[in-house]
């Protein structure tokens, strides 16, 4: 009976220690893995879509650009971190990057609210032109390294 109690206490202690152990955080990438577009469209495809679908595509493209363009000097693809670039990963730099991401989230939330309220009043042709324009910008990011 004593052995069972000792084993139970030891296993409880072991599981508690594992549960509260600090996990090493992966360094944050300047461009998130989630910031991608699944498909580029052509004008005829977009013309067959309803306005609600176009508004969704337009808003998605804005989000991708806002989360990518400010970091073009660092990277154009996900996975580049401060460590990768040789930037010291001290608390001040981590805090600055976290503040930047937080500000971007706030901006996108505000912009999303504006888009949901006002984009339904926009001309469908203008939405299509905007989507195509934003997609061309994103395609050109793949050629960015040619300019270096």
């Amino acid at each position: 009976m004593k052995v069972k109690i000792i084993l139970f206490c030891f296993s409880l202690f072991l599981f508690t220690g594992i549960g509260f152990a600090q996990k090493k955080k992966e360094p944050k990438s300047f461009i998130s893995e989630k910031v991608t577009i699944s498909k580029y469209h052509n004008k005829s495809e977009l013309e067959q879509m309803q306005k609600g679908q176009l508004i969704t595509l337009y808003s998605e493209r804005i989000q991708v650009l806002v989360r990518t363009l400010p970091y073009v000097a660092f990277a154009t693809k996900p996975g580049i971190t401060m460590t990768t670039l040789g930037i010291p990963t001290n608390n001040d730099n981590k805090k600055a990057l976290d503040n930047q991401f937080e500000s971007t989230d706030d901006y996108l939330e505000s912009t999303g609210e504006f888009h949901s309220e006002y984009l339904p009043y926009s001309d469908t042709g203008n939405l299509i032109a905007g989507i195509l324009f934003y997609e061309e910008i994103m395609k050109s990011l793949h050629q960015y390294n040619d300019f270096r």
Side-chain angles (χ1 to χ4, degrees), residues 6-21:
I6 291 172
L7 284 174
F8 177 74
C9 289
F10 178 72
S11 61
L12 184 63
F13 177 73
L14 182 65
F15 287 122
T16 304
I18 291 171
F20 287 106

Side-chain angles (χ1 to χ4, degrees), residues 6 8 15 21 39 44 46 50-52 55 65 77 93-94 97-98 101 115 117 122-123 127 130 135-137 144:
I6 291 172
F8 177 74
F15 287 122
K39 183 179 189 269
S44 63
L46 294 173
Q50 294 183 2
K51 197 171 203 176
I55 290 171
L65 287 173
K77 294 181 178 139
N93 290 345
K94 287 179 187 177
L97 189 59
D98 287 341
F101 289 154
H115 283 170
E117 186 73 29
S122 66
D123 181 55
L127 280 173
E135 288 184 358
E136 284 300 316
I137 293 171
Y144 177 76

Side-chain angles (χ1 to χ4, degrees), residues 29-41:
S29 176
F30 284 97
I31 300 173
S32 171
E33 297 281 340
K34 299 174 188 173
V35 180
T36 58
I37 290 182
S38 59
K39 183 179 189 269
Y40 291 100
H41 298 84

Side-chain angles (χ1 to χ4, degrees), residues 35-42 45-46 49 53-69 108 115 127-139 141:
V35 180
T36 58
I37 290 182
S38 59
K39 183 179 189 269
Y40 291 100
H41 298 84
N42 60 39
E45 289 175 330
L46 294 173
M49 292 182 179
Q53 293 172 304
L54 293 173
I55 290 171
T56 301
L57 286 176
Y58 185 89
S59 294
E60 286 174 357
R61 271 73 185 146
I62 290 285
Q63 286 187 18
V64 170
L65 287 173
V66 167
R67 293 190 187 276
T68 305
L69 287 179
L108 287 173
H115 283 170
L127 280 173
I128 291 171
I131 292 167
L132 292 172
F133 177 71
Y134 292 150
E135 288 184 358
E136 284 300 316
I137 293 171
M138 290 180 281
K139 287 177 190 175
L141 286 174

Side-chain angles (χ1 to χ4, degrees), residues 88-124:
T89 54
N90 58 35
N91 284 337
D92 290 338
N93 290 345
K94 287 179 187 177
K95 187 181 275 189
L97 189 59
D98 287 341
N99 287 341
Q100 175 65 23
F101 289 154
E102 198 173 302
S103 296
T104 300
D105 290 342
D106 292 344
Y107 170 75
L108 287 173
E109 183 179 333
S110 168
T111 301
E113 290 171 6
F114 177 81
H115 283 170
S116 65
E117 186 73 29
Y118 291 99
L119 278 181
Y121 296 106
S122 66
D123 181 55
T124 303

